[in-house]
Amino acid sequence: MAATRKALKGVMLDISGTLHVNYSPTPNAVAALAKLRSAGVKVRFVTNSTKLTDESLFAKLVAMGFELDRSEVFSSLSAAKQLIVDRKYRPLLLLEDDALAQFADIDQCPPHNAVVVGLAPSKLDYAHMNQAFQALLGGADLVGIHRARYFASAENQLSLGPGPFVTALEMATDKQAELVGKPASAFYQLALADMGLIGEPESVAMVGDDVLADLGGGAEDLGLQRFLVRTGKYRPGDESKASTPLDGTFDSFADMVHKFYL
């Protein structure tokens, strides 16, 4: 572990479940972030949160006491918007109203040529899902902002994530969703490039509470150090779900920082 400590130049932090649950920071997370920065480690916040705009999410973190710059936040919501702009999509957006504000300048008039699915409890009902189904049958592309199976809505309580709904649309239409958030390699590469560490992924740790959505896929393929925390959606035995051994499991984000930078 000593060699790993010396090599660590950057950290990507999952937000919900790792830094906070609902509106409460995980134990000692605010102080741990400050300690990580004081050690000279570059930090970026990488999130699949799609219920809030990036601005709302940033304001939420600041209100909880975290010190960060808006430019340090990399969201799957922003990645989805960039994809929409690049491909000139007129999307049907299954997103919460707050998140929809980030797409106010996007043409969303039918006929839709893309269906974009995020975590949107108020929109993932039969009527909206059937509207998405019809658009997909008409030739629209399917975009999953992410496909997490569940999330922690309160400590020790799990709720359905967007993954099962994306899978349902895939099954019904024989289409494969394109994913833009974690754990896609391209998403992590955005943060790596911003840290100036695109050529040194092995010197960067990804810290999260979801062994698949945070620490699988691109995190594994790119060679990031992968640290699981036992907060948020973590459940006993999650470590065994990793396709290759993790680089560490900690009781919390603060525990990880404490053990690296005591």
Side-chain angles (χ1 to χ4, degrees):
M1 183 67 80
T4 300
R5 290 175 184 166
K6 291 179 182 178
L8 198 61
K9 296 180 181 179
V11 170
M12 296 186 201
L13 289 173
D14 171 53
I15 296 178
S16 179
T18 300
L19 289 183
H20 72 86
V21 175
N22 285 343
Y23 287 87
S24 299
T26 54
N28 302 310
V30 173
L33 177 60
K35 189 171 186 178
L36 193 61
R37 291 190 188 280
S38 70
V41 178
K42 297 179 180 180
V43 179
R44 295 298 182 270
F45 304 85
V46 291
T47 178
N48 275 343
S49 176
T50 59
K51 294 176 69 176
L52 302 173
T53 63
D54 291 355
E55 294 300 330
S56 295
L57 178 60
F58 171 69
K60 179 179 179 179
L61 291 172
V62 171
M64 284 188 282
F66 292 102
E67 293 187 10
L68 68 157
D69 188 89
R70 169 66 183 82
S71 64
E72 294 176 319
V73 178
F74 287 78
S75 77
S76 56
L77 204 61
S78 291
K81 183 173 182 179
Q82 190 59 54
L83 181 73
I84 289 168
V85 171
D86 291 346
R87 296 189 183 172
K88 297 180 172 57
Y89 279 146
R90 295 183 313 280
L92 171 63
L93 298 170
L94 298 187
L95 299 172
E96 290 295 287
D97 290 342
D98 187 283
L100 283 173
Q102 193 158 325
F103 297 82
D105 58 340
I106 297 294
D107 180 4
Q108 301 171 41
C109 296
H112 301 294
N113 57 3
V115 172
V116 179
V117 183
L119 177 57
S122 69
K123 303 293 176 63
L124 297 177
D125 55 18
Y126 181 83
H128 285 95
M129 287 289 285
N130 195 49
Q131 183 183 9
F133 172 67
Q134 296 297 333
L136 293 168
L137 289 182
D141 293 337
L142 177 59
V143 177
I145 297 185
H146 65 97
R147 67 186 315 152
R149 296 172 297 168
Y150 46 77
F151 67 101
S153 56
E155 196 65 62
N156 295 321
Q157 181 177 337
L158 299 181
S159 296
L160 276 176
F165 298 92
V166 172
T167 300
L169 290 171
E170 288 178 325
M171 181 178 179
T173 62
D174 290 325
K175 293 200 173 198
Q176 183 69 38
E178 180 173 359
L179 302 179
V180 295
K182 295 181 295 182
S185 293
F187 185 69
Y188 292 120
Q189 287 171 328
L190 292 174
L192 284 171
D194 193 64
M195 287 189 283
L197 296 171
I198 191 69
E200 303 178 67
E202 70 284 350
S203 72
V204 177
M206 175 63 215
V207 184
D209 65 329
D210 190 322
V211 71
L212 299 179
D214 292 329
L215 308 178
E220 185 175 354
D221 295 340
L222 292 170
L224 301 176
Q225 297 179 45
R226 298 174 297 141
F227 298 146
L228 181 66
V229 293
R230 300 186 184 98
T231 54
K233 69 175 69 172
Y234 171 85
R235 290 295 182 269
D238 278 356
E239 299 91 333
S240 66
K241 298 176 183 176
S243 58
T244 59
L246 300 172
D247 296 289
T249 302
F250 302 90
D251 288 337
S252 65
F253 163 57
D255 179 47
M256 170 254 165
V257 173
H258 177 74
K259 288 178 177 174
F260 269 66
Y261 299 101
L262 181 63

